[in-house]
Short mmCIF file of all heavy atoms in Angstrom, two decimals:
data_model
loop_
_atom_site.label_atom_id
_atom_site.label_comp_id
_atom_site.label_asym_id
_atom_site.label_seq_id
_atom_site.Cartn_x
_atom_site.Cartn_y
_atom_site.Cartn_z
N ALA L 14 -13.20 -4.61 15.63
CA ALA L 14 -14.36 -4.76 14.81
C ALA L 14 -15.60 -4.33 15.56
O ALA L 14 -15.68 -4.29 16.80
CB ALA L 14 -14.56 -6.14 14.34
N SER L 15 -16.60 -3.90 14.80
CA SER L 15 -17.87 -3.39 15.42
C SER L 15 -18.71 -4.49 16.07
O SER L 15 -19.58 -4.16 16.84
CB SER L 15 -18.76 -2.74 14.32
OG SER L 15 -19.04 -3.57 13.20
N GLY L 16 -18.42 -5.70 15.65
CA GLY L 16 -19.05 -6.91 16.28
C GLY L 16 -18.08 -8.04 16.43
O GLY L 16 -16.93 -7.85 16.31
N SER L 17 -18.68 -9.19 16.73
CA SER L 17 -17.84 -10.37 16.91
C SER L 17 -17.03 -10.71 15.59
O SER L 17 -17.60 -10.64 14.51
CB SER L 17 -18.69 -11.56 17.30
OG SER L 17 -17.90 -12.73 17.39
N ILE L 18 -15.76 -11.11 15.79
CA ILE L 18 -15.01 -11.55 14.63
C ILE L 18 -14.97 -13.03 14.57
O ILE L 18 -14.26 -13.62 13.71
CB ILE L 18 -13.55 -11.04 14.65
CG1 ILE L 18 -12.82 -11.47 15.89
CG2 ILE L 18 -13.62 -9.45 14.64
CD1 ILE L 18 -11.34 -11.12 15.86
N PHE L 19 -15.59 -13.75 15.53
CA PHE L 19 -15.46 -15.23 15.64
C PHE L 19 -15.87 -15.91 14.35
O PHE L 19 -15.26 -16.86 13.89
CB PHE L 19 -16.30 -15.72 16.80
CG PHE L 19 -16.33 -17.18 16.94
CD1 PHE L 19 -15.21 -17.81 17.48
CD2 PHE L 19 -17.33 -17.97 16.50
CE1 PHE L 19 -15.12 -19.19 17.64
CE2 PHE L 19 -17.37 -19.34 16.68
CZ PHE L 19 -16.19 -19.97 17.20
N SER L 20 -16.95 -15.45 13.71
CA SER L 20 -17.52 -16.10 12.58
C SER L 20 -16.87 -15.62 11.24
O SER L 20 -17.22 -16.17 10.21
CB SER L 20 -19.00 -15.93 12.55
OG SER L 20 -19.42 -14.60 12.45
N ILE L 21 -16.05 -14.60 11.29
CA ILE L 21 -15.40 -14.15 10.05
C ILE L 21 -14.37 -15.13 9.59
O ILE L 21 -13.40 -15.48 10.35
CB ILE L 21 -14.79 -12.72 10.25
CG1 ILE L 21 -15.86 -11.79 10.70
CG2 ILE L 21 -14.14 -12.25 8.98
CD1 ILE L 21 -15.37 -10.42 11.01
N PRO L 22 -14.46 -15.61 8.39
CA PRO L 22 -13.47 -16.66 7.92
C PRO L 22 -12.01 -16.42 8.14
O PRO L 22 -11.25 -17.24 8.53
CB PRO L 22 -13.90 -16.81 6.46
CG PRO L 22 -15.34 -16.47 6.37
CD PRO L 22 -15.48 -15.31 7.35
N ALA L 23 -11.61 -15.12 7.83
CA ALA L 23 -10.28 -14.78 8.01
C ALA L 23 -10.16 -13.25 8.16
O ALA L 23 -10.99 -12.47 7.73
CB ALA L 23 -9.41 -15.23 6.80
N MET L 24 -9.17 -12.88 8.90
CA MET L 24 -8.81 -11.50 9.05
C MET L 24 -7.39 -11.21 8.64
O MET L 24 -6.53 -12.13 8.80
CB MET L 24 -8.95 -11.05 10.53
CG MET L 24 -10.25 -11.24 11.23
SD MET L 24 -11.52 -10.09 10.51
CE MET L 24 -10.85 -8.51 11.08
N GLY L 25 -7.19 -10.09 7.93
CA GLY L 25 -5.85 -9.92 7.40
C GLY L 25 -5.34 -8.45 7.59
O GLY L 25 -6.13 -7.55 7.93
N TRP L 26 -4.07 -8.34 7.45
CA TRP L 26 -3.41 -7.01 7.49
C TRP L 26 -2.71 -6.79 6.17
O TRP L 26 -2.10 -7.69 5.61
CB TRP L 26 -2.36 -6.93 8.55
CG TRP L 26 -2.90 -6.69 9.93
CD1 TRP L 26 -3.11 -7.68 10.88
CD2 TRP L 26 -3.31 -5.48 10.55
NE1 TRP L 26 -3.57 -7.16 12.01
CE2 TRP L 26 -3.74 -5.71 11.80
CE3 TRP L 26 -3.33 -4.16 10.04
CZ2 TRP L 26 -4.21 -4.83 12.69
CZ3 TRP L 26 -3.79 -3.22 10.94
CH2 TRP L 26 -4.22 -3.46 12.29
N TYR L 27 -2.94 -5.62 5.67
CA TYR L 27 -2.30 -5.24 4.33
C TYR L 27 -1.71 -3.88 4.56
O TYR L 27 -2.00 -3.20 5.51
CB TYR L 27 -3.40 -5.14 3.21
CG TYR L 27 -3.97 -6.45 2.90
CD1 TYR L 27 -4.95 -7.11 3.67
CD2 TYR L 27 -3.71 -7.13 1.64
CE1 TYR L 27 -5.41 -8.38 3.35
CE2 TYR L 27 -4.23 -8.34 1.29
CZ TYR L 27 -5.11 -8.98 2.18
OH TYR L 27 -5.67 -10.14 1.81
N ARG L 28 -0.83 -3.50 3.66
CA ARG L 28 -0.25 -2.22 3.80
C ARG L 28 0.01 -1.62 2.38
O ARG L 28 0.08 -2.28 1.39
CB ARG L 28 1.14 -2.26 4.45
CG ARG L 28 2.29 -3.10 3.78
CD ARG L 28 3.49 -3.23 4.70
NE ARG L 28 4.50 -3.96 4.05
CZ ARG L 28 5.62 -4.26 4.67
NH1 ARG L 28 5.86 -3.92 5.88
NH2 ARG L 28 6.60 -4.99 3.98
N GLN L 29 0.01 -0.28 2.35
CA GLN L 29 0.13 0.47 1.11
C GLN L 29 1.07 1.72 1.35
O GLN L 29 0.75 2.55 2.14
CB GLN L 29 -1.15 0.92 0.59
CG GLN L 29 -1.12 1.59 -0.74
CD GLN L 29 -2.49 1.80 -1.35
OE1 GLN L 29 -3.50 1.87 -0.56
NE2 GLN L 29 -2.54 1.86 -2.69
N ALA L 30 2.14 1.68 0.63
CA ALA L 30 3.10 2.86 0.64
C ALA L 30 2.68 3.77 -0.51
O ALA L 30 2.06 3.38 -1.44
CB ALA L 30 4.52 2.43 0.45
N PRO L 31 2.98 5.09 -0.34
CA PRO L 31 2.65 6.07 -1.35
C PRO L 31 3.12 5.59 -2.76
O PRO L 31 4.25 5.26 -2.93
CB PRO L 31 3.33 7.34 -0.90
CG PRO L 31 3.42 7.17 0.56
CD PRO L 31 3.70 5.78 0.79
N GLY L 32 2.24 5.64 -3.71
CA GLY L 32 2.56 5.31 -5.08
C GLY L 32 2.61 3.83 -5.35
O GLY L 32 2.98 3.43 -6.47
N LYS L 33 2.33 3.08 -4.36
CA LYS L 33 2.38 1.58 -4.61
C LYS L 33 1.06 0.95 -4.41
O LYS L 33 0.14 1.51 -3.80
CB LYS L 33 3.40 0.93 -3.61
CG LYS L 33 4.91 1.34 -3.76
CD LYS L 33 5.75 0.57 -2.84
CE LYS L 33 7.21 0.90 -3.13
NZ LYS L 33 8.12 0.13 -2.25
N GLN L 34 0.93 -0.32 -4.84
CA GLN L 34 -0.30 -1.07 -4.67
C GLN L 34 -0.36 -1.53 -3.24
O GLN L 34 0.57 -1.72 -2.57
CB GLN L 34 -0.39 -2.21 -5.66
CG GLN L 34 -0.40 -1.88 -7.13
CD GLN L 34 -1.79 -1.61 -7.60
OE1 GLN L 34 -2.62 -0.98 -6.95
NE2 GLN L 34 -2.11 -2.15 -8.71
N ARG L 35 -1.60 -1.70 -2.80
CA ARG L 35 -1.80 -2.25 -1.47
C ARG L 35 -1.37 -3.74 -1.49
O ARG L 35 -1.81 -4.46 -2.42
CB ARG L 35 -3.26 -2.13 -1.06
CG ARG L 35 -3.54 -2.53 0.42
CD ARG L 35 -5.04 -2.16 0.83
NE ARG L 35 -5.23 -0.78 0.67
CZ ARG L 35 -6.39 -0.18 0.97
NH1 ARG L 35 -7.37 -0.94 1.48
NH2 ARG L 35 -6.58 1.16 0.82
N GLY L 36 -0.62 -4.13 -0.58
CA GLY L 36 -0.02 -5.53 -0.59
C GLY L 36 -0.37 -6.30 0.74
O GLY L 36 -0.57 -5.72 1.74
N PHE L 37 -0.33 -7.62 0.57
CA PHE L 37 -0.64 -8.51 1.63
C PHE L 37 0.52 -8.49 2.69
O PHE L 37 1.69 -8.47 2.30
CB PHE L 37 -0.85 -9.90 1.09
CG PHE L 37 -0.81 -10.97 2.08
CD1 PHE L 37 -1.95 -11.15 2.91
CD2 PHE L 37 0.25 -11.77 2.32
CE1 PHE L 37 -2.01 -12.26 3.84
CE2 PHE L 37 0.27 -12.82 3.28
CZ PHE L 37 -0.93 -13.02 3.99
N VAL L 38 0.13 -8.55 3.89
CA VAL L 38 1.07 -8.60 5.03
C VAL L 38 0.94 -9.89 5.81
O VAL L 38 1.91 -10.70 5.97
CB VAL L 38 1.00 -7.41 5.99
CG1 VAL L 38 1.95 -7.57 7.18
CG2 VAL L 38 1.34 -6.11 5.26
N ALA L 39 -0.23 -10.13 6.30
CA ALA L 39 -0.51 -11.30 7.09
C ALA L 39 -2.01 -11.64 7.21
O ALA L 39 -2.84 -10.80 6.98
CB ALA L 39 0.02 -11.10 8.51
N ILE L 40 -2.30 -12.87 7.46
CA ILE L 40 -3.67 -13.34 7.58
C ILE L 40 -3.80 -14.31 8.72
O ILE L 40 -2.83 -15.08 8.99
CB ILE L 40 -4.17 -13.94 6.23
CG1 ILE L 40 -5.67 -14.29 6.28
CG2 ILE L 40 -3.34 -15.27 5.88
CD1 ILE L 40 -6.17 -14.76 4.95
N ILE L 41 -4.92 -14.31 9.31
CA ILE L 41 -5.23 -15.32 10.33
C ILE L 41 -6.66 -15.84 10.14
O ILE L 41 -7.57 -15.05 9.91
CB ILE L 41 -5.04 -14.77 11.80
CG1 ILE L 41 -5.34 -15.93 12.78
CG2 ILE L 41 -5.93 -13.63 12.07
CD1 ILE L 41 -4.83 -15.63 14.25
N THR L 42 -6.80 -17.11 10.08
CA THR L 42 -8.10 -17.68 9.78
C THR L 42 -8.85 -17.85 11.09
O THR L 42 -8.39 -17.73 12.15
CB THR L 42 -8.06 -19.06 9.09
OG1 THR L 42 -7.50 -19.99 9.99
CG2 THR L 42 -7.14 -18.98 7.85
N ARG L 43 -10.16 -18.18 10.99
CA ARG L 43 -11.05 -18.41 12.14
C ARG L 43 -10.44 -19.54 12.94
O ARG L 43 -10.64 -19.59 14.19
CB ARG L 43 -12.45 -18.80 11.63
CG ARG L 43 -13.41 -18.99 12.76
CD ARG L 43 -14.87 -19.06 12.14
NE ARG L 43 -14.99 -20.12 11.18
CZ ARG L 43 -15.99 -20.33 10.36
NH1 ARG L 43 -17.02 -19.50 10.47
NH2 ARG L 43 -16.01 -21.29 9.50
N ALA L 44 -9.84 -20.49 12.34
CA ALA L 44 -9.22 -21.65 13.00
C ALA L 44 -7.93 -21.35 13.70
O ALA L 44 -7.34 -22.13 14.44
CB ALA L 44 -9.10 -22.83 12.06
N GLY L 45 -7.40 -20.19 13.35
CA GLY L 45 -6.09 -19.72 13.98
C GLY L 45 -4.86 -19.90 13.17
O GLY L 45 -3.76 -19.61 13.61
N THR L 46 -5.01 -20.45 11.97
CA THR L 46 -3.84 -20.61 11.14
C THR L 46 -3.40 -19.29 10.58
O THR L 46 -4.24 -18.36 10.29
CB THR L 46 -4.10 -21.66 9.96
OG1 THR L 46 -5.26 -21.16 9.16
CG2 THR L 46 -4.42 -22.95 10.46
N THR L 47 -2.14 -19.12 10.33
CA THR L 47 -1.59 -17.87 9.91
C THR L 47 -0.70 -17.99 8.65
O THR L 47 -0.19 -19.07 8.39
CB THR L 47 -0.81 -17.14 11.00
OG1 THR L 47 0.33 -18.06 11.48
CG2 THR L 47 -1.67 -16.90 12.25
N ASN L 48 -0.54 -16.91 7.97
CA ASN L 48 0.36 -16.87 6.85
C ASN L 48 0.88 -15.47 6.72
O ASN L 48 0.11 -14.51 7.04
CB ASN L 48 -0.33 -17.31 5.53
CG ASN L 48 0.67 -17.50 4.44
OD1 ASN L 48 1.83 -17.93 4.67
ND2 ASN L 48 0.21 -17.43 3.19
N TYR L 49 2.11 -15.32 6.23
CA TYR L 49 2.79 -14.01 6.18
C TYR L 49 3.45 -13.83 4.84
O TYR L 49 3.85 -14.78 4.19
CB TYR L 49 3.78 -13.87 7.28
CG TYR L 49 3.29 -14.04 8.69
CD1 TYR L 49 3.18 -15.33 9.25
CD2 TYR L 49 2.83 -12.93 9.40
CE1 TYR L 49 2.76 -15.44 10.55
CE2 TYR L 49 2.35 -13.08 10.74
CZ TYR L 49 2.35 -14.36 11.30
OH TYR L 49 1.85 -14.51 12.58
N ALA L 50 3.55 -12.47 4.54
CA ALA L 50 4.39 -12.19 3.34
C ALA L 50 5.82 -12.43 3.75
O ALA L 50 6.27 -12.39 4.87
CB ALA L 50 4.21 -10.74 3.00
N ASP L 51 6.61 -12.87 2.71
CA ASP L 51 7.95 -13.25 2.98
C ASP L 51 8.81 -12.07 3.59
O ASP L 51 9.66 -12.35 4.50
CB ASP L 51 8.65 -13.59 1.65
CG ASP L 51 8.16 -15.01 1.15
OD1 ASP L 51 7.64 -15.76 1.90
OD2 ASP L 51 8.40 -15.19 -0.09
N SER L 52 8.45 -10.87 3.28
CA SER L 52 9.14 -9.76 3.79
C SER L 52 8.93 -9.50 5.31
O SER L 52 9.72 -8.78 5.87
CB SER L 52 8.78 -8.49 3.03
OG SER L 52 7.39 -8.22 3.15
N VAL L 53 7.96 -10.11 5.90
CA VAL L 53 7.65 -9.85 7.32
C VAL L 53 7.57 -11.12 8.13
O VAL L 53 7.43 -11.04 9.37
CB VAL L 53 6.37 -9.10 7.45
CG1 VAL L 53 6.29 -7.80 6.56
CG2 VAL L 53 5.08 -9.93 7.16
N LYS L 54 7.66 -12.28 7.51
CA LYS L 54 7.29 -13.49 8.22
C LYS L 54 8.04 -13.82 9.48
O LYS L 54 7.60 -14.46 10.41
CB LYS L 54 7.32 -14.72 7.27
CG LYS L 54 8.75 -15.09 6.87
CD LYS L 54 8.67 -16.42 6.06
CE LYS L 54 10.02 -16.87 5.72
NZ LYS L 54 9.97 -18.21 4.96
N ASP L 55 9.28 -13.34 9.58
CA ASP L 55 10.15 -13.58 10.75
C ASP L 55 10.14 -12.43 11.69
O ASP L 55 10.86 -12.44 12.73
CB ASP L 55 11.59 -13.91 10.30
CG ASP L 55 11.66 -15.19 9.55
OD1 ASP L 55 10.97 -16.15 9.90
OD2 ASP L 55 12.52 -15.22 8.56
N ARG L 56 9.35 -11.41 11.41
CA ARG L 56 9.40 -10.16 12.23
C ARG L 56 7.99 -9.82 12.72
O ARG L 56 7.84 -9.22 13.79
CB ARG L 56 9.89 -9.04 11.43
CG ARG L 56 11.37 -9.20 10.95
CD ARG L 56 11.84 -8.01 10.23
NE ARG L 56 11.12 -7.70 9.05
CZ ARG L 56 10.45 -6.58 8.79
NH1 ARG L 56 10.41 -5.68 9.71
NH2 ARG L 56 9.76 -6.39 7.62
N PHE L 57 7.01 -10.14 11.99
CA PHE L 57 5.56 -9.73 12.34
C PHE L 57 4.82 -10.95 12.86
O PHE L 57 5.05 -12.12 12.36
CB PHE L 57 4.88 -9.12 11.19
CG PHE L 57 5.34 -7.79 10.76
CD1 PHE L 57 6.47 -7.24 11.22
CD2 PHE L 57 4.58 -7.12 9.80
CE1 PHE L 57 6.98 -6.06 10.83
CE2 PHE L 57 5.10 -5.86 9.38
CZ PHE L 57 6.22 -5.31 9.84
N THR L 58 3.89 -10.73 13.74
CA THR L 58 2.97 -11.81 14.27
C THR L 58 1.58 -11.32 14.22
O THR L 58 1.29 -10.23 14.88
CB THR L 58 3.37 -12.19 15.67
OG1 THR L 58 4.76 -12.71 15.62
CG2 THR L 58 2.46 -13.35 16.09
N ILE L 59 0.64 -11.98 13.58
CA ILE L 59 -0.72 -11.68 13.61
C ILE L 59 -1.39 -12.57 14.65
O ILE L 59 -1.11 -13.74 14.79
CB ILE L 59 -1.37 -11.81 12.24
CG1 ILE L 59 -2.81 -11.30 12.22
CG2 ILE L 59 -1.34 -13.28 11.72
CD1 ILE L 59 -3.47 -11.25 10.86
N SER L 60 -2.38 -11.97 15.34
CA SER L 60 -3.13 -12.76 16.32
C SER L 60 -4.49 -12.16 16.48
O SER L 60 -4.77 -11.05 15.99
CB SER L 60 -2.37 -12.70 17.68
OG SER L 60 -2.30 -11.41 18.23
N ARG L 61 -5.38 -12.87 17.10
CA ARG L 61 -6.72 -12.41 17.33
C ARG L 61 -7.20 -12.68 18.70
O ARG L 61 -6.86 -13.70 19.27
CB ARG L 61 -7.66 -13.04 16.24
CG ARG L 61 -7.81 -14.56 16.34
CD ARG L 61 -8.48 -15.10 15.08
NE ARG L 61 -9.90 -14.52 14.91
CZ ARG L 61 -10.53 -14.63 13.76
NH1 ARG L 61 -9.93 -15.17 12.67
NH2 ARG L 61 -11.73 -14.14 13.65
#
């Protein structure tokens, strides 16, 4: 980020394949809690 991310409520990762809608992958809140799409939850890890 161009500046501090500390105060941003949440940061997320999304992905978009050709011809498809952009979809949710993972999110991490300011407090450090995380959530993942079912398709990636055991394989991907989001951190900040």
Side-chain angles (χ1 to χ4, degrees):
S15 58
S17 175
I18 63 171
F19 178 77
S20 61
I21 301 176
M24 300 291 295
W26 283 98
Y27 294 72
R28 65 186 181 185
Q29 185 171 24
K33 294 185 177 180
Q34 295 274 44
R35 189 173 300 183
F37 168 77
V38 175
I40 187 172
I41 183 167
T42 71
R43 184 170 56 191
T46 57
T47 60
N48 193 26
Y49 301 89
D51 288 341
S52 59
V53 308
K54 70 174 185 177
D55 295 323
R56 300 183 296 117
F57 291 9
T58 302
I59 187 172
S60 62
R61 64 193 298 164

